[in-house]
Amino acid sequence: RSSPRSSPRWATHDCARVLADSMPTCDAMRPLRLALAASELTPYAKTGGLADVLLGLGRWLGQPAVTDKATGKPSLTGPGHDVRVFVPYYKRIADSGVEVRDLPHGQKIDVRFPQRTIRFGIKEAKLPDSDVSVYFIDCPELYYREGIYTEDGDEALRFAMLSRAVLETCQRLQWAPDVVHCNDWHTALIPLYLRTAYSWDKLFAKTKTLLTIHNIGYQGYYPESQLDTIGLGDQRAHVHHGDLKDKKFSFLKTGVLHATRLSTVSITYAKEIQTDEFGMGMQEMLRSRSSDLLGIVNGVDYGEWDPATDPKIPHHYSLDDMSGKAKMKAALLNRFQLPHDSRAPVFGVVSRLTSQKGFELFADSIPIHLQREDMRLIVLGSGESKHENYFQWLRDTWPSKVGIYRGFQEELAHWIEAGSDVFLMPSRFEPCGLNQMYSLRYGTPPIVRRTGGLADTVQAWDPGAQTGTGFPFDEYSSQALAGTMDWVLRNWRDQRGWQQLVKNGMSQDFSWDRQGPEYVELYRSLSTHR
Ligand code: ADP
Ligand code: GLC
């Protein structure tokens, strides 16, 4: 720990703070004060599942408390918390016209970094259909750019600033979080900043931190010299030593070293990231914190993703009446101007096109099936150009069987979940994956590789027992994917069995009502952590 710094002029020790200080943290009954910090949040700024998790978890935690049936008292692991979400106010949010208000006493806040002082303001909104406050960190010089993420020279500073601005906002609100829940590398410096630049502030005296790893493939690596830029130049002793020898440091590793507890987004991934195969250089340090690392499978916000109510699709359906699914298939094919034949299965893909997602396996498998079978393939994705080009090649080669949309299009993602017959997700690794859970609910059984959250959420279809929800395969090879496609097509021909498979998937419950309590238990265990 660095030596405490003196408190700035504006810091007052008012009533709220004194109360917060004296609040017994061991009071297991009281609602928790939870700060959720991240770089993405649906519906404002999204590139992948992280944004959906922040919305779903935030909204669930902030719902009214529920009564435990057994005790008649408020449930200890239920919702009903004082939860607040923190994200940057990106240009795209400002441009979207979303209604926000300037927080009084939350403007023109200066954050001092060694080489420059950066000013920000706080804007507030409520998460849609909830009472949960979102605090947007409004800092045009850092966040008014085209993308959420950039390759600009100040990328490290952009997210170091986010981490500090979260804490600065808590100070302006005089709000003492029990737990700051950091997500991925972008907010992983919060634990170290709490121990250093903010250690003087009693407001955070009892604050604990949870770092959730959504994807270990992104660690936020920067040259060691940037430690000075982000105000951690005198904290080299608290940064991973091996990296420093190589003249670099990583946000994520720093978070893993300093967060009170760690979690990741599925049970299998929690084990995988401790292995040489999946740890991406972090396996050793994760093994050394093994007892502090928990896997919690992501929840699904069925308020957003349910074919019975989804406002983004024109035809609705549920287990009681599936006719809307056939209409969605016709509408989807029509949208891509592909010929319709109810007997030809539609395979759907909605994905970031990165090496994580396993599309290289398509090369020696999908063309064979497109050549041989009466099938359709519809792809929505953006990312690495080699993958985009490959899908374009498939489209050019089989124009009556393949449809692609290059880009990010939320509504279309919902259409593909609903209008496809099979969802394709052959990931090389998958921390959790939300799309396969969405596809289950939309009656679109997924083909998945048995890894990470895919292994935890999809069970193999067994036509004899009529059990299972999809088509997992193990080996990361084109042959294994091709064999799985054959397995799917064989089962597709037995439409009676298929209907049962669809039903099994649609009956799965991955709601936050099921997954959320695990987070509450974890937060509670943290808030009593010494
Ligand atoms: P990841 O976070 O690794 O991308 P997930 O399956 O957890 O994978 O979540 C992906 C989320 O991003 C889903 O909500 C999916 O619908 C959405 N998504 C991915 N690519 C696109 C795209 N090109 N257009 C619209 N939505 C997309
Ligand atoms: C990451 C992972 C994905 C996970 C999502 C939300 O982007 O790649 O598997 O579902 O985060 O946790």
Side-chain angles (χ1 to χ4, degrees):
R1 278 179 185 229
S2 70
S3 53
R5 306 189 181 174
S6 58
S7 51
R9 233 175 335 109
W10 54 265
T12 56
H13 293 267
D14 70 358
C15 214
R17 173 178 296 206
V18 174
L19 262 179
D21 284 343
S22 61
M23 194 78 93
T25 46
C26 57
D27 180 3
M29 297 300 290
R30 103 177 142 69
L32 297 165
R33 289 182 297 271
L34 304 167
L36 270 51
S39 58
E40 297 189 24
L41 173 63
T42 302
Y44 312 108
K46 166 172 172 178
T47 69
L50 171 65
D52 287 3
V53 170
L54 264 285
L55 171 67
L57 177 59
R59 192 145 71 175
W60 181 83
L61 288 167
Q63 281 174 15
V66 292
T67 306
D68 188 318
K69 285 194 190 96
T71 63
K73 294 187 176 148
S75 164
L76 280 184
T77 55
H81 304 280
D82 179 0
V83 51
R84 308 185 186 197
V85 188
F86 300 75
V87 281
Y89 192 62
Y90 300 107
K91 179 174 182 296
R92 64 181 60 189
I93 306 178
D95 290 348
S96 74
V98 57
E99 233 176 86
V100 291
R101 71 174 189 113
D102 285 344
L103 197 75
H105 316 299
Q107 303 308 311
K108 297 190 181 158
I109 304 169
D110 284 333
V111 180
R112 280 190 192 87
F113 289 94
Q115 290 148 14
R116 65 198 252 211
T117 294
I118 300 180
R119 178 167 281 195
F120 79 104
I122 306 161
K123 296 194 184 297
E124 188 189 6
K126 294 288 178 195
L127 269 187
D129 303 319
S130 88
D131 213 23
V132 171
S133 285
V134 183
Y135 296 111
F136 292 108
I137 308 305
D138 184 20
C139 179
E141 65 179 292
L142 294 182
Y143 303 133
Y144 281 27
R145 316 245 169 118
E146 273 322 302
I148 293 176
Y149 308 113
T150 74
E151 301 203 341
D152 299 344
D154 60 356
E155 190 73 348
L157 184 62
R158 291 176 80 225
F159 291 107
M161 173 69 182
L162 172 62
S163 299
R164 290 198 54 183
V166 169
L167 301 175
E168 298 276 337
T169 304
C170 292
Q171 289 177 321
R172 294 321 190 275
L173 294 166
Q174 292 290 293
W175 183 73
D178 294 302
V179 180
V180 181
H181 184 171
C182 314
N183 293 276
D184 275 350
W185 73 264
H186 318 94
T187 48
L189 291 184
I190 290 177
L192 183 55
Y193 279 131
L194 270 173
R195 289 177 168 207
T196 54
Y198 298 86
S199 61
W200 59 269
D201 193 341
K202 286 202 180 66
L203 185 74
F204 300 121
K206 289 174 181 158
T207 296
K208 302 296 189 305
T209 51
L210 170 65
L211 171 61
T212 296
I213 299 172
H214 294 260
N215 195 330
I216 211 161
Y218 304 97
Q219 299 181 5
Y221 261 109
Y222 292 97
E224 183 202 0
S225 56
Q226 296 228 5
L227 280 170
D228 298 314
T229 317
I230 62 172
L232 292 174
D234 55 352
Q235 297 304 324
R236 283 178 163 72
H238 299 295
V239 171
H240 190 262
H241 295 172
D243 284 345
L244 286 181
K245 279 197 199 127
D246 297 334
K247 300 258 174 278
K248 57 184 186 177
F249 78 99
S250 127
F251 277 53
L252 193 63
K253 277 190 183 166
T254 309
V256 166
L257 286 173
H258 297 284
T260 322
R261 293 281 302 267
L262 308 169
S263 77
T264 185
V265 288
S266 70
I267 296 157
T268 298
Y269 197 59
K271 293 183 200 136
E272 286 175 344
I273 53 178
Q274 299 181 56
T275 66
D276 294 349
E277 187 185 351
F278 292 96
M280 299 203 182
M282 291 186 60
Q283 57 273 26
E284 227 166 89
M285 64 190 304
L286 288 168
R287 282 200 293 266
S288 75
R289 292 210 63 187
S290 197
S291 58
D292 286 328
L293 169 64
L294 191 69
I296 302 179
V297 174
N298 284 333
V300 170
D301 190 332
Y302 291 121
E304 301 286 317
W305 294 93
D306 185 338
T309 51
D310 185 343
K312 295 196 175 73
I313 57 174
H315 307 290
H316 295 112
Y317 56 93
S318 64
L319 273 175
D320 297 334
D321 177 5
M322 290 292 286
S323 55
K325 175 131 182 106
K327 288 186 191 146
M328 276 309 305
K329 177 171 176 173
L332 180 66
L333 288 165
N334 194 31
R335 188 164 172 166
F336 279 90
Q337 296 178 335
L338 293 172
H340 180 254
D341 179 346
S342 60
R343 286 165 305 177
V346 176
F347 291 75
V349 171
V350 177
S351 190
R352 291 184 295 114
L353 301 180
T354 67
S355 60
Q356 171 193 345
K357 300 294 178 177
F359 295 117
E360 63 187 340
L361 302 187
F362 276 27
D364 294 323
S365 53
I366 297 292
I368 301 167
H369 287 87
L370 282 169
Q371 188 63 31
R372 196 180 67 198
E373 307 283 342
D374 189 15
M375 60 174 272
R376 312 279 179 267
L377 173 68
I378 292 183
V379 180
L380 164 63
S382 64
E384 291 169 22
S385 50
K386 68 174 179 194
H387 296 300
E388 291 192 3
N389 295 342
Y390 178 73
F391 285 120
Q392 187 61 51
W393 175 77
L394 288 179
R395 158 89 190 151
D396 294 343
T397 314
W398 289 279
S400 62
K401 290 184 174 174
V402 180
I404 67 162
Y405 183 99
R406 296 157 82 146
F408 194 90
Q409 230 270 40
E410 296 232 25
E411 184 215 30
L412 186 53
H414 289 242
W415 275 54
I416 293 177
E417 293 286 5
S420 304
D421 295 302
V422 183
F423 197 82
L424 264 165
M425 208 166 163
S427 307
R428 191 161 60 87
F429 69 94
E430 195 60 73
C432 179
L434 295 172
N435 272 322
Q436 82 283 7
M437 295 194 270
Y438 299 157
S439 78
L440 288 170
R441 178 51 65 110
Y442 281 73
T444 308
I447 292 179
V448 297
R449 203 168 82 78
R450 203 179 265 112
T451 181
L454 301 176
D456 293 354
T457 56
V458 181
Q459 286 82 44
W461 167 240
D462 175 347
Q466 299 274 292
T467 56
T469 55
F471 302 93
F473 65 98
D474 286 292
E475 197 184 278
Y476 187 69
S477 71
S478 283
Q479 289 76 1
L481 176 57
T484 310
M485 294 279 292
D486 291 336
W487 174 28
V488 170
L489 290 162
R490 272 197 309 278
N491 281 283
W492 170 253
R493 285 177 206 118
D494 167 22
Q495 273 297 312
R496 258 174 137 204
W498 193 269
Q499 292 320 316
Q500 185 59 45
L501 164 66
V502 163
K503 192 170 169 190
N504 293 351
M506 290 179 77
S507 318
Q508 298 288 301
D509 180 3
F510 294 105
S511 62
W512 281 108
D513 278 339
R514 288 186 72 118
Q515 309 306 117
E518 295 197 39
Y519 274 105
V520 177
E521 235 171 87
L522 178 54
Y523 296 143
R524 286 211 188 274
S525 77
L526 274 168
S527 67
T528 54
H529 191 283
R530 304 251 157 227

